[in-house]
């Protein structure tokens, strides 16, 4: 086993540098290679998964300041993932399995989850791409779920280094064809595996009946109708086979401009007003064509705008809202705050946390999305107007805004079944280009924009501010965001229903028939291609782990207690939001000590004002509506609006900070409060059980969730993703940045007084 030291050398060809300290001589590693290999974890392959390349004698480093510790083992690359197979006896957290993902292990990275690959050459970090002339001594992989892996290749054989590094670069960065996705290999090979009916988990909106059911549920069937004019995608490949339009609209108008310029129904509220979306007509230079388009739109507008009975407000999201480039730029800056290589880097950037967070503009973008949704709700709820969302293809910002409106207005969308149905309706069937926006095929970085992740972050703000209103937890949202990069589920790997449906038959006719030939004879041609949906959580998690996806505090009936108005706010050591006003000192200090207020003034100054939307800046109607809602007790089964002023918009700590040990509060955070609440609920349930024997199975699961929280070795503010691997006696102070604020020795004393991270 290797000891602490600084890795030097390159690809197994250079001699150790004098600074390296090892408890085992390099030659002993190769001598005992066979013995160590026998202790390595077995590589588990999914159906259809193939091993492509591997390298032995690899050290997976655990960064610790300027030194390193690690686990010795094998690094492998398959057509599905990159995996590190370490020594069984050295595996960390081996007994902590209650939230283990059955598909992806802690040391597994799906190829689609790889964001950037870096190599270390003579202690210099460089981006790796294409064909390499020189191979690195260390491989660093940044993942889209914000994990960071360090692999030391110093003692790996030169040929193995070339093979594994080249293989990883090629299979994660080279452009792919859709038919080469692992999704199809898995589906073909896993035909004998039984899958649950997807309709058990969500309304799929792939039949006319599904749309009719949704119309009936929202009472929209009086003014709107489900149509099958695009059945077989003969009108437009961008639109789903079935959708809903206003009843007065002639169906023959739909094919006129291939589905463009048609108001498509999203949702109806209790007042009868509806939320609609429309893709813009193609831009034309010819005056004659422009006049035809104008006449067409005038006719369409008259079918939905009939004052005083029907009034429509048009919201052009392409020109009056965010741009996709703004979203991508902001997230690119934002994610860098969490891709931390080691403890020293964490503490060096800590003093700049507020300024870095503000300069990314990610929280401001979340605020603008929530504010736009509230503005539309005000039109629907207070002004009794229909709202028509307009966008070029109605498949990005339309999906985002319409989904947020429904989550805030429709309590059905705050249940797990309802939320999953909402994602199916507005995003999957609605034609959001997941394949392009997630860059799954690596064909164009320009198309990659985290629109769906932005939606989940906005929903998290609501979940965080109003926990009793949601049947699902923040852990559910976190694993849903992770599932974007797991290519055994078809949910997030197509640009449209048409693309999915047209690719499935080709595989059934050719590859699937060849696969089953000789097994089932002539019956092979009728075998369906079984593509899993992400909504079957049993594929990823055992029943015990799934209890963490369900919110035990979910309120089944409305509660109007004033005591529940404010909710519990998560107090984290590293401030998760930008401050609006000077806050009171906390009895227990964390990363920002007594100099917090001084730092805020010096680092932010007047720049903070542009990020915070004060109530004076809001329009009169908006302000009146928003303030009126806030003055009333919350109705968790009614309209639910977020708080958007200043520090109310926070960083989604569980998703973004979960892989950073220094950012965890051991035994603290909201999970500690939740644990105590569950204990109380468990006691109440036991008393109820003595009175009447009902709902026993549900109560057992509730008790199971409480037991998981109390007994977990990972109980921290970032439960259940806590990764306690770095062992630092105390934080490293970035002295160069703190000198202007006071004496270093005095700061060190304050650090010891307020922060004890000895167990981290």
């Amino acid at each position: 086993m290797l000891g602490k030291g600084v890795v030097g050398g390159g690809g197994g060809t250079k001699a150790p540098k004098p600074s390296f300290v090892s408890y085992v001589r390099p030659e002993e590693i190769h001598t005992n290679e066979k013995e160590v290999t026998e202790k390595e974890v077995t590589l588990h392959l999914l159906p259809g998964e193939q091993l492509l390349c591997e390298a032995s004698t690899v050290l997976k480093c655990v960064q610790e300041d300027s030194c390193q510790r690690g686990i010795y083992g094998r690094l492998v690359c398959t057509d599905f993932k990159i995996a590190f197979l370490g020594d069984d006896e050295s595996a960390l957290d081996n007994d902590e399995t209650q939230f283990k993902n059955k598909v992806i292990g802690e040391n597994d990275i799906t190829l689609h989850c790889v964001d950037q690959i870096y190599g270390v050459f003579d202690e210099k970090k460089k981006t790796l791409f294409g064909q390499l002339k020189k191979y690195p001594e260390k491989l660093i992989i940044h993942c889209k779920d914000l994990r960071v892996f360090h692999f030391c290749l110093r003692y790996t054989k030169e040929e193995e280094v070339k093979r594994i590094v080249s293989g990883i670069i090629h299979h994660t960065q080279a452009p792919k064809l859709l038919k080469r996705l692992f999704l199809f290999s898995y589906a073909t090979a896993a035909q004998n595996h039984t899958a649950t009916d997807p309709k058990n988990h969500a309304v799929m909106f792939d039949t006319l009946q599904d749309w009719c059911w949704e119309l009936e549920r929202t009472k929209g069937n009086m003014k709107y109708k489900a149509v099958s004019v695009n059945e077989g995608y003969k009108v437009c490949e961008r639109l789903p086979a079935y959708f809903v339009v206003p009843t007065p609209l002639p169906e023959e108008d739909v094919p006129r401009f291939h589905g463009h310029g048609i108001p498509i129904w999203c949702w109806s509220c209790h007042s009868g007003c509806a939320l609609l979306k429309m893709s813009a007509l193609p831009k034309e230079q010819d005056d004659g064509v422009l006049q035809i388009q104008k006449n067409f739109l005038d006719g369409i507008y008259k079918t939905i705008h009939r004052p005083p009975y029907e009034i429509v407000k048009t919201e052009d999201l392409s020109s009056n809202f965010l741009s996709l480039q703004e979203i991508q730029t902001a997230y690119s800056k934002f994610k860098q705050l969490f891709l931390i290589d080691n403890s020293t880097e964490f503490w060096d950037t800590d003093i700049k946390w507020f300024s870095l967070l503000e300069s990314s503009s990610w929280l401001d973008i979340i605020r603008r999305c929530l504010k736009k949704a509230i503005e539309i709700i005000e039109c629907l709820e207070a002004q009794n107007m229909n709202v028509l969302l307009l966008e070029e293809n109605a498949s990005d910002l339309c999906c985002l805004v319409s989904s947020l409106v429904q989550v805030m207005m429709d309590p059905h969308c705050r249940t797990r079944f309802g939320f999953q149905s909402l994602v199916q309706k507005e995003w999957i069937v609605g034609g959001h280009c997941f394949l392009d926006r997630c860059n799954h095929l690596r064909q164009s970085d320009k198309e990659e924009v985290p629109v769906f992740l932005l939606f989940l972050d906005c929903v998290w703000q609501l979940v965080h501010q109003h926990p009793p209103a949601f049947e699902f937890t923040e852990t559910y949202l976190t694993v849903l965001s992770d599932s974007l990069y797991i290519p055994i589920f078809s949910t997030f790997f197509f640009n449209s229903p048409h693309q999915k449906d047209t690719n499935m038959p080709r595989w059934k006719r050719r590859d699937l028939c060849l696969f089953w030939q000789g097994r089932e004879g002539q019956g092979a041609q009728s075998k369906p291609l079984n593509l899993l949906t992400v909504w079957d959580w049993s594929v990823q998690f055992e029943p015990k782990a799934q209890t963490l996806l369900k919110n035990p505090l979910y309120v089944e009936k409305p509660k109007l207690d004033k005591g529940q108005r404010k909710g519990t706010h998560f107090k984290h050591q590293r401030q998760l939001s930008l401050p609006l006003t000077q806050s009171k000192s906390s009895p227990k200090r964390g990363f920002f000590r007594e100099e917090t207020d001084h730092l805020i003034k010096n680092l932010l100054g007047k720049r903070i004002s542009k990020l915070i939307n004060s109530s004076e800046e809001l329009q009169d109607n908006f302000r009146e509506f928003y303030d009126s809602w806030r003055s009333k007790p919350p109705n968790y089964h009614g309209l639910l609006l977020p708080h958007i002023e200043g520090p109310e918009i926070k960083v989604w700590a569980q998703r973004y900070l979960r892989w950073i040990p220094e950012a965890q509060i051991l035994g603290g955070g909201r999970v500690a409060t939740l644990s105590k609440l569950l204990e109380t609920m468990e006691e109440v349930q036991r008393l109820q059980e003595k009175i009447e024997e009902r709902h026993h199975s549900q109560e057992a699961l509730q008790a199971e969730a409480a037991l998981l929280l109390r007994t977990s070795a990972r109980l921290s503010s970032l439960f259940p993703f806590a990764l306690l691997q770095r062992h630092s006696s105390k934080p490293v102070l970035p002295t160069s940045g703190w000198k202007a604020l006071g004496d270093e020795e005095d700061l060190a004393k304050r650090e010891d007084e307020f922060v004890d991270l000895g167990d981290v």
Side-chain angles (χ1 to χ4, degrees):
M1 187 70 185
L2 297 178
K4 297 180 181 179
V6 179
V7 175
T13 59
K14 293 187 177 181
K17 292 188 175 182
S19 61
F20 186 84
V21 179
S22 175
Y23 301 122
V24 180
R25 294 189 302 275
E27 56 270 20
E28 290 180 349
I29 294 177
H30 296 289
T31 303
N32 298 330
E33 183 175 339
K34 182 176 180 180
E35 179 183 346
V36 175
T37 302
E38 294 175 354
K39 297 180 181 179
E40 290 175 346
V41 179
T42 303
L43 175 63
H44 296 288
L45 299 176
L46 294 176
E49 184 178 4
Q50 296 181 351
L51 177 64
L52 301 176
C53 53
E54 63 179 305
S56 57
T57 327
V58 175
L59 182 70
K60 176 179 175 288
C61 304
V62 179
Q63 296 301 305
E64 182 182 306
D65 300 337
S66 59
C67 303
Q68 67 182 25
R69 300 160 55 250
I71 306 170
Y72 168 84
R74 278 191 303 153
L75 184 62
V76 304
C77 179
T78 73
D79 55 351
F80 169 64
K81 65 177 180 285
I82 300 166
F84 178 79
L85 309 175
D87 188 333
D88 270 326
E89 297 177 355
S90 303
L92 296 176
D93 296 324
N94 195 41
D95 59 340
E96 191 67 25
T97 59
Q98 75 266 15
F99 200 65
K100 179 181 179 182
N101 192 307
K102 297 193 291 184
V103 178
I104 301 296
E106 288 190 6
N107 291 324
D108 295 344
I109 315 165
T110 65
L111 300 182
H112 296 281
C113 192
V114 174
D115 190 12
Q116 291 288 337
I117 302 176
Y118 300 92
V120 176
F121 302 86
D122 297 325
E123 299 183 3
K124 293 182 179 179
K125 180 178 170 182
K126 298 180 180 179
T127 305
L128 300 182
F129 55 88
Q131 202 70 25
L132 300 181
K133 295 182 180 179
K134 182 181 179 182
Y135 290 86
E137 61 204 44
K138 192 174 187 179
L139 194 65
I140 302 175
I141 300 177
H142 285 185
C143 303
K144 292 183 179 180
D145 62 4
L146 304 180
R147 288 180 295 169
V148 177
F149 288 87
H150 293 249
F151 299 109
C152 174
L153 306 173
R154 176 167 189 175
Y155 297 115
T156 308
K157 294 177 181 178
E158 185 174 358
E159 286 303 314
E160 291 185 1
V161 171
K162 292 181 180 180
R163 190 158 48 244
I164 193 67
V165 173
S166 299
I168 289 175
I169 292 174
H170 174 75
H171 292 290
T172 58
Q173 296 184 354
K176 300 177 179 64
L177 297 174
L178 176 61
K179 65 181 181 180
R180 297 298 181 188
L181 285 178
F182 179 74
L183 171 71
F184 295 106
S185 301
Y186 178 82
T188 303
Q191 285 302 298
N192 281 336
H193 293 227
T194 58
T196 59
D197 185 351
K199 292 188 181 295
N200 294 336
H201 311 289
V203 180
M204 304 306 289
F205 293 98
D206 54 0
T207 66
L208 198 63
Q209 290 74 19
D210 287 347
W211 288 101
C212 292
W213 178 86
E214 181 71 356
L215 277 172
E216 185 177 351
R217 186 188 70 82
T218 59
K219 304 298 187 289
N221 49 357
M222 299 296 293
K223 300 178 181 179
Y224 299 90
K225 62 182 178 182
V227 296
S228 58
V229 64
N230 197 40
E231 200 167 33
Y233 307 102
K234 54 192 175 186
V235 171
C236 177
E237 296 179 357
R238 177 184 49 83
L239 291 174
Y242 312 99
F243 51 91
V244 174
V245 295
T247 300
L249 181 74
E251 291 189 22
E252 55 267 22
D253 282 354
V254 176
R256 284 281 300 277
F257 293 97
H258 304 287
H260 289 273
I262 299 298
I264 296 177
W265 176 86
C266 298
W267 180 76
S268 291
C269 66
H270 60 86
S271 65
C273 294
L275 182 62
L276 308 164
K277 64 181 178 181
M278 177 191 289
S279 58
L281 289 173
K283 296 180 180 179
E284 293 287 348
Q285 301 296 327
D286 184 82
D287 291 340
V289 177
L290 285 173
Q291 186 61 43
I292 294 174
Q293 289 184 349
K294 183 179 182 301
N295 294 338
F296 175 76
L297 288 178
D298 286 344
I300 294 294
Y301 192 65
K302 289 177 182 178
T303 65
I304 57 177
H305 183 71
R306 295 175 293 173
Y309 308 106
E310 296 284 339
I311 302 176
V312 174
K313 178 184 178 182
T314 302
E315 190 72 45
D316 189 350
L317 300 179
S318 296
S319 59
N320 300 326
F321 193 39
L322 294 165
S323 70
L324 297 181
Q325 183 60 48
E326 281 182 89
I327 297 172
Q328 176 61 18
T329 301
Y331 185 70
S332 295
K333 293 179 180 178
F334 179 71
K335 70 181 180 181
Q336 295 303 319
L337 301 178
F338 312 101
L339 293 168
I340 303 295
D341 279 345
N342 52 53
S343 183
T344 300
E345 182 181 342
F346 177 85
W347 290 102
D348 283 345
T349 58
D350 189 62
I351 191 175
K352 300 181 257 183
W353 170 253
F354 277 147
S355 59
L356 292 173
L357 183 59
E358 185 214 3
S359 64
S360 74
S361 298
W362 182 250
L363 296 185
D364 184 43
I365 284 179
I366 293 172
R367 189 190 324 276
R368 290 168 66 184
C369 291
L370 295 172
K371 181 174 179 289
K372 178 63 68 175
I374 298 173
E375 290 173 355
I376 291 169
I377 290 171
E378 189 270 334
C379 292
L380 293 167
E381 184 83 5
Q383 299 187 39
N384 205 30
M385 298 169 60
N386 294 328
V387 177
L388 177 64
L389 303 177
L390 184 64
E391 192 184 9
E392 183 178 354
N393 287 313
S395 60
D396 287 304
L397 299 177
C398 277
C399 300
L400 170 66
V401 174
S402 64
S403 298
L404 287 177
V405 168
Q406 292 174 65
V407 169
M408 294 181 197
M409 295 191 73
D410 191 347
H412 174 72
C413 297
R414 301 196 284 268
T415 66
R416 195 161 86 177
F417 184 90
F419 184 78
Q420 292 173 175
S421 300
L422 173 68
V423 173
Q424 278 291 142
K425 180 179 70 170
E426 296 296 334
W427 295 85
I428 313 303
V429 177
H432 181 65
C433 301
F434 282 99
L435 201 63
D436 295 338
R437 294 294 176 249
C438 297
N439 200 16
H440 286 319
L441 298 182
R442 301 283 180 173
Q443 292 182 350
S444 175
D445 291 340
K446 295 180 181 179
E447 297 292 325
E448 184 173 4
V449 185
V451 184
F452 186 68
L453 178 59
L454 175 58
F455 164 65
L456 294 182
D457 207 329
C458 290
V459 173
W460 179 85
Q461 304 293 331
L462 286 159
V463 171
H464 177 79
Q465 293 179 18
H466 308 286
F470 292 85
E471 189 184 28
F472 50 86
T473 63
E474 68 168 340
T475 302
Y476 168 87
L477 295 174
T478 301
V479 297
L480 181 57
S481 71
D482 292 341
S483 300
L484 282 169
Y485 314 111
I486 304 180
I488 68 171
F489 305 110
S490 62
T491 310
F492 303 125
F493 277 83
F494 293 100
N495 283 336
S496 66
H498 167 264
Q499 187 182 53
K500 176 182 176 181
D501 292 347
T502 53
N503 278 277
M504 282 177 61
R506 179 161 59 250
W507 279 83
K508 283 193 287 185
R509 288 195 303 269
R510 184 184 60 195
D511 300 86
L512 187 59
C513 293
L514 289 174
F515 177 79
W516 284 99
Q517 190 173 6
R519 298 190 182 189
E520 298 185 11
Q522 298 299 321
Q525 293 189 4
S526 63
K527 197 74 176 180
L529 188 60
N530 180 26
L531 295 179
L532 297 176
T533 70
V534 73
W535 311 126
D536 185 1
W537 295 105
S538 64
V539 176
Q540 296 191 64
F541 302 104
E542 297 292 350
K544 182 190 292 187
Q546 290 183 58
T547 60
L548 298 175
L549 307 182
K550 184 176 181 180
N551 181 13
L553 304 182
Y554 174 61
V555 174
E556 296 289 347
K557 296 180 181 180
K559 291 186 178 181
L560 304 178
D561 298 2
K562 291 185 178 180
Q564 294 182 356
R565 186 72 185 95
K566 295 182 179 180
T568 305
H569 292 285
F570 177 26
K571 300 297 182 182
H572 183 268
Q573 289 178 320
R574 176 172 277 212
Q575 298 285 345
L576 299 180
S577 61
L578 289 167
L580 176 61
T581 57
Q582 180 172 322
S583 58
K584 295 181 180 180
S585 300
S586 171
K588 181 176 180 180
R589 295 300 182 131
F591 302 152
F592 290 97
R593 290 154 284 270
E594 292 179 353
E595 294 82 6
T596 301
D597 298 330
H598 183 65
L599 277 176
I600 295 169
K601 294 176 183 177
N602 283 317
L603 293 175
L604 301 183
K606 295 182 180 180
R607 291 180 299 154
I608 193 70
S609 61
K610 71 176 183 179
L611 183 64
I612 298 170
N613 295 318
S614 62
S615 58
E616 286 76 18
E617 296 173 337
L618 304 177
Q619 300 93 334
D620 291 339
N621 289 342
F622 177 91
R623 178 185 174 184
E624 182 180 352
F625 174 74
Y626 186 65
D627 291 346
S628 174
W629 180 85
R630 292 196 62 177
S631 66
K632 301 174 184 177
N635 179 2
Y636 293 128
H637 278 252
L639 178 63
L640 194 73
L641 300 182
H643 305 295
I644 59 174
E645 296 86 354
E648 294 291 350
I649 303 299
K650 298 182 182 295
V651 173
W652 183 0
Q654 189 190 72
R655 184 182 194 275
Y656 299 122
L657 291 169
R658 56 184 159 155
W659 311 122
I660 306 177
E662 291 83 1
Q664 298 175 36
I665 308 173
L666 297 181
R670 295 186 70 185
V671 69
T673 304
L674 178 61
S675 178
K676 293 296 182 184
L677 285 173
L678 286 177
E679 286 184 36
T680 304
M681 291 173 65
E682 192 179 347
E683 179 63 26
V684 171
Q685 287 171 355
R686 281 197 293 266
L687 294 174
Q688 289 177 338
E689 193 175 18
K690 293 179 180 179
I691 299 173
E692 53 181 346
E693 293 291 333
R694 292 191 304 178
H695 309 297
H696 180 72
S697 60
Q698 183 179 354
E699 293 167 3
L701 284 177
Q702 197 97 308
E704 187 73 44
L707 182 63
L708 282 178
L709 291 175
R710 290 200 303 271
T711 60
S712 176
R714 294 184 173 200
L715 189 58
S716 79
S717 58
L718 304 179
F719 178 86
F721 298 99
L723 197 62
L724 311 175
Q725 291 189 352
R726 295 183 195 146
H727 301 271
S728 176
S729 58
K730 69 175 184 178
V732 179
L733 287 172
T735 53
S736 59
W738 286 92
K739 285 181 179 178
L741 300 176
D743 184 77
E744 293 178 21
E745 292 184 3
D746 182 52
L747 288 173
K749 290 178 182 178
R750 296 180 191 177
E751 180 67 41
D752 292 335
E753 179 182 356
F754 292 118
V755 181
D756 181 11
L757 297 180
D759 295 327
V760 176

